Coordinates of all heavy atoms in Angstrom, one line a residue:
S55 N 70.2 -12.8 60.2 CA 69.4 -13.0 61.4 C 70.3 -13.0 62.6 O 70.7 -14.1 63.1 CB 68.5 -14.1 61.3 OG 69.2 -15.3 61.2
P56 N 70.7 -11.8 63.2 CA 71.6 -11.8 64.2 C 70.9 -12.3 65.5 O 69.6 -12.2 65.6 CB 72.0 -10.3 64.4 CG 70.8 -9.6 63.7 CD 70.4 -10.5 62.7
G66 N 63.2 -20.3 91.5 CA 61.9 -20.6 91.8 C 61.2 -21.2 90.7 O 61.5 -22.1 90.1
Q70 N 65.9 -16.4 85.3 CA 66.5 -15.0 85.3 C 67.8 -15.1 84.6 O 68.6 -16.1 84.7 CB 66.8 -14.6 86.7 CG 65.5 -14.5 87.7 CD 64.5 -13.5 87.3 OE1 65.0 -12.5 86.8 NE2 63.2 -13.8 87.4
L85 N 77.4 -18.8 70.6 CA 76.9 -19.8 71.3 C 77.9 -20.7 72.1 O 77.7 -21.1 73.2 CB 76.2 -20.8 70.3 CG 75.7 -22.1 71.0 CD1 74.7 -21.8 72.1 CD2 75.0 -22.9 69.9
T87 N 80.7 -19.5 73.5 CA 81.1 -18.9 74.6 C 80.0 -19.0 75.7 O 80.3 -19.2 76.8 CB 81.3 -17.3 74.4 OG1 82.3 -17.2 73.3 CG2 81.9 -16.5 75.7
Q91 N 80.3 -20.9 79.5 CA 80.0 -20.2 80.8 C 79.0 -21.1 81.5 O 79.0 -21.2 82.7 CB 79.6 -18.9 80.5 CG 79.2 -18.0 81.8 CD 80.4 -17.9 82.8 OE1 81.6 -17.8 82.2 NE2 80.2 -18.1 84.0
A99 N 76.3 -25.5 90.6 CA 74.8 -25.4 90.8 C 74.2 -26.7 90.3 O 75.0 -27.5 89.6 CB 74.2 -24.3 90.1
K108 N 68.3 -18.5 73.4 CA 68.7 -17.7 72.2 C 67.6 -16.6 72.1 O 66.5 -16.9 72.1 CB 68.6 -18.6 70.9 CG 68.9 -17.9 69.7 CD 69.1 -18.9 68.5 CE 69.3 -18.1 67.3 NZ 69.3 -19.1 66.1
Y109 N 68.0 -15.3 71.8 CA 67.2 -14.4 71.4 C 67.5 -13.8 70.1 O 68.6 -13.4 69.7 CB 67.5 -13.2 72.5 CG 67.0 -13.4 73.8 CD1 67.8 -13.9 74.8 CD2 65.6 -13.3 74.2 CE1 67.5 -14.2 76.1 CE2 65.2 -13.6 75.5 CZ 66.1 -14.1 76.4 OH 65.8 -14.3 77.7
A113 N 64.9 -6.2 64.2 CA 64.9 -4.8 64.1 C 65.7 -4.2 65.3 O 65.7 -4.9 66.4 CB 63.4 -4.3 64.1
E114 N 66.4 -3.1 65.1 CA 67.1 -2.5 66.2 C 66.3 -1.4 66.9 O 65.7 -0.7 66.2 CB 68.4 -1.9 65.6 CG 69.2 -1.3 66.6 CD 70.6 -0.7 66.0 OE1 70.8 -0.9 64.8 OE2 71.2 -0.1 66.7

Side-chain angles (χ1 to χ4, degrees):
S55 57
Q70 304 290 325
L85 174 59
T87 306
Q91 184 61 34
K108 180 180 180 181
Y109 292 96
E114 180 178 353

